[in-house]
Amino acid sequence: MKLRRTAIRACLLCLLASVCFAVRPVIFDTDMGNDIDDALALAMLHALSDRGECDLIGVTLTNANRAAVPYIRMLNRFYGRGDLPVGGAIKALKGGDGDGYMTAALRNSPAGDASGAEPAPALLRRLLSNAHEKAVIVQTGFSTNLAALLDSPGGPELVREKVALLVAMAGNFVEAEPEYNVRIDIASAKAVFERWPTPIVFSGFEIGRELLYPAASIENDFTYALHHPIADSYRAYSKMPYNRPTWDLTAALQAVRPQRGYFALSVTGAVFVESNGATRFTPGTGDRQYLRLDPSKRAEILSVLTLLTSQPPARR
């Protein structure tokens, strides 16, 4: 009897541990193709999933370029997650459907498949409904998909029930200038930033521009694959060597490792979107915050970003 009680207690402790330490589901909502930082951020999320720090459960697109779905699927397959669901953009946005590197990178890798992609808002609903616990959404593109989710039947209730946090690379919190991810779909950004029913943390334009991804990493850290899709993409995006702002990477890092203290956080408040796409933060009532960078941590953060982005896949 004592042995049986000990076995039952051990089983309960194992079950409790699995509940308490379950990794957080993460959804990556991206305008992949318009800038290279989206590709670097997706590589990071695969690495963090390989490390057991999060569970990347899907990717949704706000770039309607026809190469976007095949490119995402190619990257997911490279990182050992070829069955990861990908949601296609629901509409083309003027100035938001670029292909800065996707087609070029696909020439050196097995072609991805564009067929059968669910509309992104439908995939978001399915992923959230089936998530084993509250998810974190990393938005590094336009707010089109999340606004559509909010406007769908029961959308706000689903978000409130199944989303813990939204981390968005969007806005500019030091200058009154419209930021690209907001400017391309101002109406959707306004809807999400002002109506989203869970906390939002913003990584503003001013954060990523102070943290430049080093070209030296592309040249030296990806040589474990003859045609590495991230290195191929980076080279295709602009003439080498160049260092590129890490806008989207900072959002992904904060989403998965908020407890590490890489960035400081503003006080809580509300974020409003002006008619021209500029963002305005008002402290006080609200659960919105934005990242702040301590210059003394710049080297540490860049080291982490490059290490994670260049980490070899665990599942290949």
Side-chain angles (χ1 to χ4, degrees):
M1 181 65 70
K2 182 177 180 181
L3 182 62
R4 183 182 177 188
R5 285 199 300 269
T6 302
I8 292 174
R9 188 180 300 113
C11 289
L12 289 174
L13 288 173
C14 289
L15 179 61
L16 180 61
S18 68
V19 171
C20 292
F21 297 102
V23 294
R24 181 75 74 184
V26 169
I27 300 171
F28 187 50
D29 186 59
T30 170
D31 68 325
M32 185 72 71
N34 288 309
D35 203 325
I36 191 59
D37 55 333
D38 294 85
L40 300 175
L42 181 53
M44 271 187 54
L45 289 173
H46 279 291
L48 288 162
S49 291
D50 285 347
R51 289 168 173 250
E53 296 185 44
C54 69
D55 179 17
L56 181 61
I57 62 173
V59 181
T60 52
L61 281 157
T62 52
N63 181 349
N65 189 285
R66 63 182 182 179
V69 170
Y71 180 84
I72 293 286
R73 286 177 170 166
M74 178 269 291
L75 275 189
N76 291 343
R77 185 168 56 249
F78 178 85
Y79 284 98
R81 294 180 176 82
D83 58 350
L84 200 67
V86 179
I90 55 176
K91 61 182 176 181
L93 297 165
K94 184 178 180 181
D97 60 352
D99 179 4
Y101 50 85
M102 296 185 294
T103 297
L106 284 167
R107 295 191 190 106
N108 292 328
S109 301
D113 183 7
S115 64
E118 287 182 70
L123 178 58
L124 282 168
R125 288 190 67 93
R126 182 167 67 84
L127 292 174
L128 291 175
S129 297
N130 296 335
H132 56 78
E133 64 173 282
K134 287 190 174 187
V136 172
I137 298 177
V138 182
Q139 179 188 297
T140 65
F142 321 124
S143 297
T144 315
N145 292 333
L146 300 190
L149 176 62
L150 283 182
D151 288 339
S152 65
E157 291 75 17
L158 177 65
V159 170
R160 190 176 295 109
E161 177 186 357
K162 300 306 290 279
V163 176
L165 177 68
L166 168 60
V167 182
M169 191 280 114
N172 187 330
F173 298 94
V174 298
E175 298 138 348
E177 296 291 335
E179 184 271 322
Y180 174 76
N181 284 347
V182 179
R183 175 173 55 80
I184 293 297
D185 191 351
I186 294 173
S188 292
K190 184 176 180 63
V192 172
F193 299 174
E194 298 179 14
R195 291 170 41 207
W196 189 261
T198 77
I200 304 178
V201 171
F202 293 88
S203 181
F205 177 83
E206 67 277 7
I207 298 296
R209 73 177 175 189
E210 296 298 322
L211 297 161
L212 301 181
Y213 196 91
S217 174
I218 299 300
E219 299 288 18
N220 300 319
D221 299 339
F222 295 82
T223 56
Y224 58 83
L226 178 60
H227 287 293
H228 197 296
I230 295 298
D232 287 349
S233 299
Y234 197 97
R235 292 187 180 103
Y237 184 70
S238 189
K239 184 178 179 180
M240 288 287 284
Y242 69 98
N243 300 334
R244 190 66 183 160
T246 57
W247 290 301
D248 296 349
L249 290 77
T250 61
L253 184 64
Q254 178 66 24
V256 179
R257 291 182 171 181
Q259 75 284 357
R260 299 290 186 96
Y262 297 121
F263 304 98
L265 287 171
S266 72
V267 298
T268 56
V271 172
F272 301 95
V273 179
E274 308 291 355
S275 60
N276 67 346
T279 45
R280 174 170 51 87
F281 177 79
T282 302
T285 304
D287 54 8
R288 294 6 181 176
Q289 294 176 284
Y290 60 89
L291 301 184
R292 288 176 165 165
L293 175 64
D294 179 347
S296 69
K297 293 193 173 184
R298 184 180 285 112
E300 176 192 359
I301 296 170
L302 277 174
S303 177
V304 170
L305 295 179
T306 54
L307 175 67
L308 292 172
T309 302
S310 62
Q311 177 177 299
R315 298 187 177 191
R316 293 193 75 206

